[in-house]
Amino acid sequence: MTALGDLIEIDDRTVLVLGQELSVEHDQPDVANALVHRVGDTLVLVDTGVTATFRAAVREATDRVGSWSRALLLTTHGHVDHIANNDLADELGVPVEHYVPALDVDQMRDPTQYWVRSFDRIVGFAPLPAPSVLAERLMSLFQPMRPFGATTRTYEERPLERIRIGSLRFTGWTFADGAVRVLRSQGHCAGHVIVHLRDCGVLHLSDEGNGPCGAMADADQLKLQTVLGSVALLFEEGEAEVLTDGHTFALRRGAEVVSYLDGLLEQATALHAAALGLTGESGRVRPGAFTTGFAERSAELGGGGANPNAMFTAMSAVNQLHELGLRPESDGIDSPWSRPALRKPAPDSPPPGSAARVSRDAAPSRRATSPGGVYEDVDG
């Protein structure tokens, strides 16, 4: 058992600060792990989490890694559980650089709208409140929210570098004479990066390993699975020794890492196969029924990620349907999803539902909520 703010000392200059799981029912935000490292006279912070308790724990960790006279804060991505204490950089009393992914700046400025977009995609997939209601409820847990500091810049303001580690080639940015490597991954969300600390052999995966199927609206399944395979190879080649991430409250080392990452990839292929089975030979399915079956299979495989719940399961389900090439036939609640016709229909005989077949991502929906927060179709 671990508690919020517990410290795991990896070596005398590297500490993992442990976060906590999400529990909306108990008004508990999830808090991402943070990594604290010192290279020479530079303090390196990877993410800052959320809550005053976690902020104090990060400060404690900075005292454990030895003396430093400058600091570098690296944000792996813009999700609220990773960024709320970013203004901590302004309190360190030394020259500081802070970098965030450019593709995540908009969601850092307006996280509520980012989550509304994600939740709007799961209408009809699970009996959840309206997207705006759910997003505001969720964001209320992540306070105070201070994602930017006086020195915040985007990584993309620096020249992009080609970075070779072992047999692998990445693009990203290096710091501290190459001892700190920020590698673009962009699977979990649009701007995601992972961090390799050369001298201590730590690879911080952040949220790229948070389940085998990305849940967010801007997740990229191919990039997610590609980075898992690349990181596994780094450990096989001995280029990394310790794996940390955003939501696993422990360390993994060596061969254990390879087995763990291979397991995530196996879960991804198994979930894809299960999703095909749920759509049946017709390739047509209602999202509510699909999500129920997908949740059961995901639970059997242990593929729910760090915070398994109905909300994230529904978000993963809609992404899985898109991966199979299915699209909603209309914008109605629980409208069937199916594969678009491969041949263009004759002008005088369009197939049923084709005229209304649109993507929820591209077309506005006409929805309202009942007093209980469950979606109803405006047209009845």
Side-chain angles (χ1 to χ4, degrees), residues 7-23:
L7 306 182
I8 297 180
E9 293 189 1
I10 299 173
D11 58 29
D12 60 358
R13 52 179 175 163
T14 312
V15 176
L16 183 67
V17 187
L18 301 187
Q20 68 183 7
E21 295 182 353
L22 174 69
S23 177

Side-chain angles (χ1 to χ4, degrees), residues 19 58 62-63 92 104 155 165 211 213 221 246 255 258 260-261 304 320 348:
V58 172
T62 66
D63 294 332
L92 297 176
D104 287 354
Y155 293 110
I165 308 176
C213 179
Q221 308 300 336
V258 177
Y260 168 68
L261 297 176
Q320 191 66 66
D348 58 345

